[in-house]
Amino acid sequence: MSTETVSDQLSTDHLLGMADLTADDIALIFRTADGFKEVLRRPIKKVPSLRDITIANLFFENSTRTRISFELAEKRLSADVINFSSAASSVKKGETLIDTVNNILAMKVDMVVMRHPDPGAAVFLSRHVNARIINAGDGTHEHPTQALLDAYSIRERLGSVKGRKVVIVGDILHSRVALSNMLCLKKLGAEVMLCGPPTLMPRHVASMGVRVEHDLDKALRWCDVANMLRIQLERQADDGPAYFPSLREYAMLYGLDRQRYERIGRDIVIMHPGPINRGVEITSDVADSGASIILDQVENGVAVRMAVLYLLAGGIHRDN
Ligand code: CP
């Protein structure tokens, strides 16, 4: 008989980054998400798990998928939800992040989901306010729920993550999705390769235990899964000189189209975190093909975020 005990609690009070989660935490989130996926297939998709919990979604940067996915996950769990967008707020009048959040928390908010353009904003907030914090993307740093839903979607399509070869392609330098995916996939025992132009590859990244390849055709022949990242033109524009001569040249060297996919000679799984620049990092005939799990990623995001919210809220009940 096994004496191994399986924890039903996360090892952390906040979700600030994949760096803070253990492999056991990720396994617990996936098991919990499996249960919520089953709930989401029912005619009545709502459960009362977070009925006494109030959650504020604070978005200081644009979002479609993450914002809607968190709001839906919260509503499916019966939480009370308030939404804040910096574009229509007193941030425009000069109010600081801490003042903004403390004013919102004064209205008795238990959890904060925050997207912010500055790396470290979620960690900073967790040290200064009394609420559970979930990082929904902080600048070029981390996007932990994206990495969790990506790994969950690989597990769903291939049966496991351990031992799978995953290549992350594109603008690694500006990508919070790349860093969170690297950390998550390695904790789950996958092999990770990064592929992109040398100008968009962070220095010393190989010291994180990942392979680096600049030839996309070689990378695609190696992998089971290719995660095609968005070219972050808005962040690149802030840096000064261009990272590559033109989008056309980028697409020729690092874009995935039908011809390049067929040259692999076997099926691989295609992912993209969105939003897609169609015709740049991926063409529509690949993005919309049977090899693509892009919309599965979006669907799984709701169940994975329900799991994260549910598990972190369990701590609120324990503390009160
Ligand atoms: N994947 C992702 O974070 O998309 P949004 O920016 O639309 O939230």
Side-chain angles (χ1 to χ4, degrees):
M1 196 172 72
S2 169
T3 54
E4 199 179 324
T5 55
V6 179
S7 174
D8 62 353
Q9 289 171 23
L10 295 177
S11 65
T12 173
D13 288 340
H14 310 279
L15 179 55
L16 305 175
M18 289 310 305
D20 302 331
L21 292 188
T22 64
D24 285 345
D25 288 329
I26 301 169
L28 173 59
I29 291 168
F30 285 4
R31 281 198 306 279
T32 310
D34 288 341
F36 286 129
K37 264 210 92 160
E38 193 272 314
V39 168
L40 293 173
R41 283 189 211 107
R42 294 180 195 163
I44 297 170
K45 299 174 176 58
K46 205 160 173 164
V47 287
S49 314
L50 298 195
R51 208 168 42 200
D52 301 325
I53 300 288
T54 303
I55 304 174
N57 299 315
L58 311 186
F59 279 73
F60 294 85
E61 198 185 66
N62 293 344
S63 169
T64 298
R65 278 147 291 272
T66 312
R67 188 175 54 78
I68 292 173
S69 180
F70 265 113
E71 187 175 345
L72 195 56
E74 291 152 5
K75 288 179 171 168
R76 298 286 192 228
L77 291 166
S78 305
D80 292 319
V81 178
I82 53 172
N83 291 308
F84 164 95
S85 158
S86 60
S89 74
S90 292
V91 170
K92 295 284 173 210
K93 301 176 197 165
E95 192 167 36
T96 66
L97 174 62
I98 294 293
D99 280 344
T100 300
V101 175
N102 272 328
N103 275 273
I104 292 167
L105 293 182
M107 300 177 220
K108 307 295 174 217
V109 167
D110 302 294
M111 300 176 84
V112 172
V113 174
M114 183 173 75
R115 170 166 290 189
H116 199 281
D118 294 337
V123 173
F124 176 76
L125 201 61
S126 72
R127 292 181 183 156
H128 290 90
V129 303
N130 183 24
R132 295 288 191 266
I133 308 297
I134 298 177
N135 180 5
D138 59 333
T140 54
H141 179 224
E142 279 232 38
H143 191 351
T145 56
Q146 181 70 45
L148 289 166
L149 72 89
D150 288 344
Y152 186 88
S153 301
I154 294 172
R155 167 184 175 265
E156 183 178 71
R157 176 59 74 101
L158 297 179
S160 64
V161 177
K162 191 176 167 65
R164 301 296 179 186
K165 294 177 176 171
V166 182
V167 62
I168 304 171
V169 181
D171 187 354
I172 312 294
L173 187 65
H174 297 97
S175 176
R176 54 193 173 211
V177 175
L179 178 59
S180 290
N181 260 267
M182 260 189 275
L183 295 168
C184 182
L185 290 166
K186 286 191 61 62
K187 282 173 201 251
L188 295 176
E191 288 185 62
V192 180
M193 177 185 278
L194 306 177
C195 180
T199 49
L200 290 175
M201 197 64 68
R203 279 192 214 172
H204 312 303
V205 76
S207 66
M208 292 183 70
V210 295
R211 294 166 188 246
V212 176
E213 173 60 68
H214 299 298
D215 181 329
L216 179 58
D217 293 298
K218 279 189 192 164
L220 293 173
R221 282 198 296 277
W222 172 84
C223 74
D224 304 308
V225 179
N227 193 350
M228 309 301 297
L229 300 181
R230 182 174 72 88
I231 282 293
Q232 305 210 12
L233 294 170
E234 74 285 11
R235 292 196 206 280
Q236 292 179 20
D238 293 343
D239 295 351
Y243 287 89
F244 45 82
S246 68
L247 282 179
R248 189 166 168 273
E249 184 158 327
Y250 179 86
M252 276 170 53
L253 290 173
Y254 293 103
L256 181 54
D257 61 10
R258 172 56 56 188
Q259 287 83 355
R260 182 164 255 150
Y261 182 85
E262 283 175 357
R263 279 206 301 273
I264 304 167
R266 64 191 166 84
D267 289 336
I268 64 167
V269 177
I270 305 300
M271 306 176 71
H272 193 301
I276 300 175
N277 295 306
R278 285 178 183 257
V280 180
E281 57 263 5
I282 191 166
T283 53
S284 291
D285 50 8
V286 179
D288 303 332
S289 71
S292 162
I293 59 167
I294 293 170
L295 291 180
D296 299 336
Q297 293 171 256
V298 177
E299 181 185 340
N300 287 333
V302 179
V304 167
R305 290 182 172 115
M306 285 172 82
V308 167
L309 291 160
Y310 172 80
L311 290 166
L312 290 177
I316 296 170
H317 291 311
R318 276 199 309 280
D319 294 351
N320 288 341

